[in-house]
Each structure stands twice: as C-alpha cells, then as structure tokens.
Amino acid sequence: MNKRITIKQIAKALSVSISTVSKALNDSYEISDETKSKIQEYAKLHKYKPNTLALSLQNKKTKTIGIIIPNILNYYFARALRGIEKVATEKGYNIITCITNESFKKEVNTMEMLSNGTIDGFIACISVETLKMKNFEHINDILNEGTPIVLYDRVHKDINCDKVVTDNIKSAYKATRFLMKSECKNIAIISTSEGININKFRVKGYLKALTKYDVVPNEDLIIIQDGEDGLTERINKMLDSNKVDGIFTVDEISGAITTQVLNKRNIKIPDEVSIVGFTNGILSRYSSPPLTSVNRFAHTTGEVAATRLIDKLEGKVKFDDIKTEIIRTQLVERESTKKLFIKF
Amino acid sequence: MNKRITIKQIAKALSVSISTVSKALNDSYEISDETKSKIQEYAKLHKYKPNTLALSLQNKKTKTIGIIIPNILNYYFARALRGIEKVATEKGYNIITCITNESFKKEVNTMEMLSNGTIDGFIACISVETLKMKNFEHINDILNEGTPIVLYDRVHKDINCDKVVTDNIKSAYKATRFLMKSECKNIAIISTSEGININKFRVKGYLKALTKYDVVPNEDLIIIQDGEDGLTERINKMLDSNKVDGIFTVDEISGAITTQVLNKRNIKIPDEVSIVGFTNGILSRYSSPPLTSVNRFAHTTGEVAATRLIDKLEGKVKFDDIKTEIIRTQLVERESTKKLFIKF
DNA sequence: ATGAAAGCGCTAACAG
DNA sequence: CTGTTAGCGCTTTCAT
C-alpha cells in the first residue's frame, strides 16, 4: 500500500526545504530548472497529489459548491443537477450534492454542516416541509455570513437572494389555452403535491385562462390533493359523473396516471380526451401516447443557477446584487392533443 | 454581514487561550464549569461552528464519501443513490456525488480530485466508456493508496475490491422462463447499450432459458444495439416479418419504446404480445399497461454498498477483506403479461 | 484549571 | 535561487 506522499516527504527525500518543493511543484520562476525537474520527476514518480483540504484551508476557498435537492427521483431535479454539474465542471468547480428528501430537518442539518468551510456557496431548492413551515432562518443565517445562495424552482419572498424560477402562472395559462384552442370545452386540472406555491400558481394560470375565455370554472373538474394515493379513483370518479374532453395535469406523475386511467377506460386520446402535462420528462415522452407537455428546461435552469453563483463567487457580481431569473417554458406538442392548424 | 467566528476570536474576546476555548467547546473535564459556560454561551451567541476543513486536516478523516454515478437520469442510479444516502446519513457521513456522464476522462478526473483528502472512500459505478476501454488504473491506484472503494452494478474482474451486483444471468433467465410459462412461443429480446457486460449477461440468461426448454434461438428476434436511436423502426421491422408473442426488454427505455410500438400497432398487450422489462422503475410502473418487470432493488444495492464501505472505514472490516455481494431480483407481475395460475 | 507549543499539508512573505 | 517563518483553524500533548 503506497500511502499518499506529502510535500514534506519529498523535501526530506531530496534534501531541500519544504518551500522549495512547493514552489517547484507550482512551477515558480524562483526555482532553478534543475531542482525543479528533479522535484517534479520525483513527485510524478511517487504520484504526488496536493491535499485539497490543506489548500482550501489556506485559500479560504474550496472551489466546491453545495447542491441541495429535495428529491432525486424527480426527473426535473435530476436534469437540473446535470445542468449545474456541467457549468460547475467547466469552471473548475466541484459539486457536493445533498438530498433532503423534502425534510426540513435534513435541509437545516446539511446546509449548516456544509457551510462550515466545506463549500463556497449553495444552489438550493427548498424542501416542501420547509416551505410549509415557512421557516427560513437557516438560509438567512448562511446568507448573513456572506455565503452566496442561489435558489431554484421553489422560492419564497422572505428569502432575499438570487433565484431561478419557472413562470408557472403563464405556462399553465398557455397550456390551458392550448387545450381550449384545440376545442376542448370541459377542461379538468389535476395536481398532486398541494402545499407548494408553485402548484398553486399553476392552478391559478389554469383558472386565469378559463376566465379569460369566459369559461366558468367547474369545481368538479379540479382535483387537487397531496400525494398520488387514490388519485386513480378520484379521476375515475370525476370521469364517471362529468363530461371531460381535456385534462391539464400539473406534474408528470399525474399526467402518467391520468393516461393510464384513460387507456384503461378505452377512452381515445386525443380524440375523446386531450391531455397536456407539465414538466416534460421521460414519463411524458415514453407514455402511450406520448404526452403533449409544458417543457421546463430543467437543464437550463441548472446552468443559469450555476453560472450566477460562480459569477458571484468569483467577484464578477457583487454579493448584494440580487436577481431573479425566469426561465421560459415551451409547449411540446406530441400525440395526446389534437393537431392545431392555426398557430397562435 | 457576520462573518463566521473562529476559536481564536473567541479566545481573544474572552481573554483566554485558544486551547482553553477548544477544550471548553469540546466539554473537556479539564476546564472549570465557569469558564466552560462562559465560552459556550459566547460561542452560541455568535453562532460559532467549527471549520470542517481544519478538523478533517487534523483527523485525517473527512467523514464524507464520494459517490460516482455514470448517469443521474437513470432511475436505477437515482434510487441507488437514495439508498446510499440513507445509510450514510444514519452513520454520520456526508456524501459528495459526482456524475461522470459515462465519460472515462470525467471519471478519472473526479476520482483523482476527490481522493486527495476530500473523501474517506468511494462508492462507484464504472462508466460505459471506462468499461469499454478496460482501463482501470485510476481505480487501482486509489485502492493502492489505501482508500477503500465499493463498486456497484457495473464491475470488472480486473478490479479487486468490494462489489455489489445484480445476478443478471439468473434474473434474465427467470424473466424469459416466465414468458415461456405464460405460453409465449416466440420470444424476442431487446437490448440497448451494447458493450456493457451486464447487458451481455442478460442476453446470456435469455438464451440459457430458451435452450433449457429446447427452444432454438431465432436470430431475427434478437435486437441488440447501442443507444435508442432507430429502435422503434427495428422493432416495427421485426414485428412485420416475424411472429412474436413475447418480448423481453433488457432495460427500461427499451421496454417503454416497445410498449409504444405495440400500442401504436394496436397490438393487445398481453393478449397478443406479452412484455417483461428489466429494472423496475417509473417507466414500467406508469406505462400503459403497467409492465411486468424484473425489479432490481436499487435502494438495497445502495444501502449494502454504503454499509460495506462504512464498515471498512470504521475498521469493522479489514481493508483486504474483499467481498462481492449479490442482490437478488424479483419479478413484479403487472399487466403486460398473462396471469399465471401455476406458480413455479 | 489554564496555556504554550507543535503539528495536520500547504502557501507566501521575507531573508539570505 | 533556496530556506526560514508564520499562518489557515483546530486538536492535543505537555508544562505551569
């Protein structure tokens, strides 16, 4: 077992001083070519690698950023992570990813843990529990210490920092309008995970579209619940006693479940009922039929967040310069809605 | 902005020595209750938190483990990560997750980077590229330095370390046999991502089952290709010119695409064609119809890997004590196969 | 009970 | 050109 070698050992082995070794390895002009190459060769031979910890302790910079993800099984977050990861790597930053599983306690613990020298800044998405409790002290504390944070997707006005979000109201509005334009008269909306304001915004957008086109919202067509348990039954029940020819689902899982229900009932999609989903992921792409869906550009969200954070870390943007960036969405037409010939 | 406070500053503020503060904060018996509480109160008031870096540098232990994931969009890996994360958290370890995007270079870079003091050990899944190149020097180097690694899912015999794997041959064998028992006579197999040995093993299991039951493999029913491009066409073509009543797909995406093709052709699943998938994830669960699938217990895989690594880090298991753990699979029956009345 | 000093691995200012 | 020294934040002997 060849334990990792240190600068000190190299110095001893070659009978030079520690600082000479340090300088030689950093290719300093102060060191003679001869000693330099002697040291560098020895280092290479023994696979010397500098200790990251010691470096970070010295520079007060770790070149790593902490990523807080509520739920990695969520395809949107996984894609956002990729975007973050891409930019971080490009700019020479490491990322340390933590999953909170939507738990407040876990979120507080990990963020406190990491903000003690381990990371230079955070890219975080607040957990549902935190959002419900409206307790953001841990975040504000970290901000106060001068550690920059960029919040993405789920945000709150009580936190004053950079944010990267989706325009939920507008996107939901456009999705609903699309259903109306494709001649749906009775449009239902389905939303799991109540309690997060982004879902409320999506319902708002739906209602706004209806109102705008003089359709009176029908309460029986609005299914909002926490979690997916029993969703199948509720959809079936709704379908049993209501005329429905369009369904807007506020998240991917709802979309998939809705599709399953319709298929099971042998209802033709989109001939009899159209579906528009939200957050275009694998489920939308690979369902039968593939779902028309509001694409959220998760990857871009991640990229923008990472770019912003790194700019701040590197002083390109001042700490107090706070900005909220809105990432546009785009409706991806697939086979769960009727083809529209008039674009609008 | 309240910059983070250090032990030194506390010492100065209270006119005591640095070591007194250190001891007081660690609740040492050497310090009088009076000074202790004085210091502790001051620390709390100023939200003192020890610098993790300095601690790690001192102890030569970071209490964090590096996780290498080839592709986070893969549901299996995401679930495994959860399992790892759970155990790590329970045992007081942090994880730092890195995504290689199936790239050899990225894998080498991140692993070298992290193994310089940042992490105590790795839980890694080798990238496809690395596997194809069969270059495992970076892994063996790290192992050589005394840093423990647990490999999961994708492994190779040239690497001598702890491993946690699926029994691919046996699982594929059982899946194929299941199709035969449900009266399928012409069973096709579909596999994307050629080149990884685990997929080869799955094909092997399929062939083994056929042979065992005296079915001569039909080359026209074996679709193996790299990536999913054009898969739809190949499946259609196969269906055009062959009688097929059962399909075993070696991964989730293939399963989803196959389902789409059959649905599109209005082929009744499972009445006309049965499907069994591999790696039971959201796609299998939420497709129409839901797919019978070989469930891989990704979460368990992660848990086992993490437990093993931590045991090693904490000296409960010797470094040279190498073990390969095989995680069983389980066929989950859903609606893409006919109900079997005789269990076997 | 408290403090001085060395050291973890490294860099950097300053001397020589 | 090379070496000495101090210091990053903390722990841990060893004195006092």
Side-chain angles (χ1 to χ4, degrees), chain A residues 1-4 47 49-54 56-57 62 71-73 75 78-79 81-82 85 89 94-97 99 101 106 112-113 115-118 141 144-146 228 253 256-257 259-260 263-264 282-283 285-288 290 319 335, chain B residues 1-4 47 49-54 56-57 62 71-73 75 78-79 81-82 85 89 94-97 99 101 106 112-113 115-118 141 144-146 228 253 256-257 259-260 263-264 282-283 285-288 290 319 335:
Chain A
M1 216 145 75
N2 313 315
K3 265 271 158 229
R4 178 142 276 147
K47 302 197 180 183
K49 277 159 214 153
N51 182 311
T52 321
L53 250 37
S56 302
L57 185 58
T62 63
N71 174 10
I72 193 63
L73 296 183
Y75 199 73
R79 268 162 70 219
L81 177 58
R82 267 211 177 186
E85 218 268 341
T89 304
N94 261 299
I95 65 173
I96 142 165
T97 310
I99 305 164
N101 283 328
K106 187 87 200 292
E112 297 222 318
M113 171 94 259
S115 61
N116 296 185
T118 312
D141 278 354
N144 249 322
E145 282 159 4
E228 52 187 272
I253 303 273
I257 293 178
T259 310
Q260 283 185 326
N263 279 325
K264 192 101 182 193
I282 31 169
L283 281 179
R285 188 154 63 247
Y286 289 118
S287 91
S288 299
F319 184 84
E335 299 167 31
Chain B
M1 215 146 75
N2 314 313
K3 265 273 161 226
R4 178 142 276 146
K47 302 197 182 186
K49 276 160 215 152
N51 181 310
T52 320
L53 249 38
S56 302
L57 185 57
T62 63
N71 174 9
I72 194 62
L73 297 183
Y75 199 74
R79 268 162 71 219
L81 177 57
R82 266 211 175 187
E85 219 267 342
T89 305
N94 262 298
I95 65 173
I96 139 166
T97 310
I99 304 165
N101 283 328
K106 189 88 199 292
E112 298 222 319
M113 171 94 259
S115 61
N116 295 184
T118 311
D141 278 354
N144 250 321
E145 282 160 2
E228 53 187 271
I253 304 273
I257 292 178
T259 310
Q260 284 185 326
N263 279 324
K264 194 102 182 191
I282 33 171
L283 281 178
R285 190 154 60 246
Y286 290 116
S287 90
S288 299
F319 184 84
E335 298 168 31

Side-chain angles (χ1 to χ4, degrees), chain B residues 242-272:
Chain B
N242 292 280
K243 227 173 71 182
V244 175
D245 54 6
I247 303 181
F248 171 45
T249 67
V250 145
D251 55 277
E252 267 222 315
I253 304 273
S254 304
I257 292 178
T258 303
T259 310
Q260 284 185 326
V261 170
L262 294 180
N263 279 324
K264 194 102 182 191
R265 290 173 79 111
N266 274 319
I267 295 177
K268 292 235 159 24
I269 309 171
D271 303 332
E272 299 173 64

Side-chain angles (χ1 to χ4, degrees), chain A residues 21-217:
Chain A
V21 177
S22 171
K23 285 171 190 161
L25 292 174
N26 289 313
D27 216 19
S28 160
Y29 65 98
E30 293 181 86
I31 306 296
S32 73
D33 286 347
E34 197 191 358
T35 354
K36 232 192 247 181
S37 60
K38 187 177 70 179
I39 292 175
Q40 286 170 356
E41 268 164 33
Y42 187 92
K44 181 170 272 174
L45 181 67
H46 292 265
K47 302 197 180 183
Y48 167 80
K49 277 159 214 153
N51 182 311
T52 321
L53 250 37
L55 285 178
S56 302
L57 185 58
Q58 187 84 350
N59 318 321
K60 318 281 249 152
K61 285 242 165 60
T62 63
K63 285 282 242 175
T64 105
I65 63 195
I67 319 294
I68 305 296
I69 294 182
N71 174 10
I72 193 63
L73 296 183
N74 183 318
Y75 199 73
Y76 173 81
F77 291 133
R79 268 162 70 219
L81 177 58
R82 267 211 177 186
I84 294 172
E85 218 268 341
K86 174 168 168 269
V87 172
T89 304
E90 279 168 13
K91 311 221 169 179
Y93 281 75
N94 261 299
I95 65 173
I96 142 165
T97 310
C98 294
I99 305 164
T100 62
N101 283 328
E102 306 287 10
S103 142
F104 170 74
K105 200 174 150 202
K106 187 87 200 292
E107 181 179 303
V108 173
N109 283 347
T110 41
M111 291 189 76
E112 297 222 318
M113 171 94 259
L114 294 181
S115 61
N116 296 185
T118 312
I119 53 90
D120 294 341
F122 281 108
I123 296 177
C125 180
I126 312 170
S127 78
V128 170
E129 205 186 346
T130 308
L131 232 26
K132 283 186 182 166
M133 294 170 58
K134 294 197 174 112
N135 183 345
F136 308 120
E137 214 184 310
H138 55 299
I139 298 183
N140 285 321
D141 278 354
I142 291 172
L143 245 15
N144 249 322
E145 282 159 4
T147 303
I149 301 178
V150 177
L151 250 33
Y152 66 101
D153 194 40
R154 315 206 287 223
V155 301
H156 196 279
K157 63 176 167 38
D158 291 353
I159 307 171
N160 184 32
C161 68
D162 289 313
K163 293 166 188 169
V164 184
V165 296
T166 302
D167 190 342
N168 290 295
I169 298 186
K170 194 169 163 196
S171 304
Y173 175 87
K174 289 202 301 194
T176 310
R177 191 180 61 180
F178 182 86
L179 281 170
M180 296 197 288
K181 294 269 180 187
S182 52
E183 255 118 58
C184 298
K185 303 288 173 213
N186 302 286
I187 302 173
I189 183 168
I190 296 174
S191 162
T192 55
S193 62
E194 237 264 275
I196 319 190
N197 43 10
I198 60 175
N199 280 3
K200 287 192 191 128
F201 288 144
R202 291 177 196 166
V203 175
K204 215 177 219 171
Y206 158 81
L207 293 173
K208 198 172 147 195
L210 294 188
T211 313
K212 169 90 178 182
Y213 290 87
D214 301 318
V215 178
V216 181

Side-chain angles (χ1 to χ4, degrees), chain B residues 91-122:
Chain B
K91 311 221 170 178
Y93 280 76
N94 262 298
I95 65 173
I96 139 166
T97 310
C98 295
I99 304 165
T100 62
N101 283 328
E102 306 287 9
S103 142
F104 171 74
K105 201 174 149 202
K106 189 88 199 292
E107 181 179 303
V108 173
N109 283 347
T110 41
M111 289 189 76
E112 298 222 319
M113 171 94 259
L114 294 182
S115 61
N116 295 184
T118 311
I119 52 91
D120 294 341
F122 280 108

Side-chain angles (χ1 to χ4, degrees), chain B residues 197-240:
Chain B
N197 43 12
I198 59 175
N199 281 2
K200 285 190 193 132
F201 288 144
R202 291 176 197 167
V203 175
K204 214 177 219 172
Y206 158 83
L207 293 173
K208 198 174 147 192
L210 294 188
T211 312
K212 169 90 180 184
Y213 289 87
D214 300 318
V215 178
V216 182
N218 176 352
E219 278 221 4
D220 292 343
L221 302 189
I222 301 179
I223 297 184
I224 296 176
Q225 67 168 36
D226 228 340
E228 53 187 271
D229 290 345
L231 185 57
T232 304
E233 291 71 34
R234 278 191 75 179
I235 298 175
N236 268 314
K237 224 160 148 187
M238 175 181 79
L239 258 21
D240 285 342

Side-chain angles (χ1 to χ4, degrees), chain B residues 289-321:
Chain B
L291 259 40
T292 295
S293 183
V294 176
N295 188 0
R296 295 182 64 209
F297 299 105
H299 199 275
T300 308
T301 304
E303 283 180 0
V304 170
T307 305
R308 181 73 186 172
L309 182 69
I310 294 175
D311 278 353
K312 210 156 242 192
L313 291 177
E314 302 192 333
K316 284 180 201 153
V317 173
K318 277 199 305 263
F319 184 84
D320 298 313
D321 178 0

Side-chain angles (χ1 to χ4, degrees), chain B residues 17 20 23 30 32 35 58 60:
Chain B
S17 80
T20 303
K23 284 170 189 163
E30 293 181 83
S32 73
T35 355
Q58 187 85 349
K60 317 281 249 155

Side-chain angles (χ1 to χ4, degrees), chain A residues 21 32 69 92 124 135 210 225 258 273 292 318 336:
Chain A
V21 177
S32 73
I69 294 182
N135 183 345
L210 294 188
Q225 66 167 37
T258 304
V273 176
T292 295
K318 276 199 304 258
S336 68

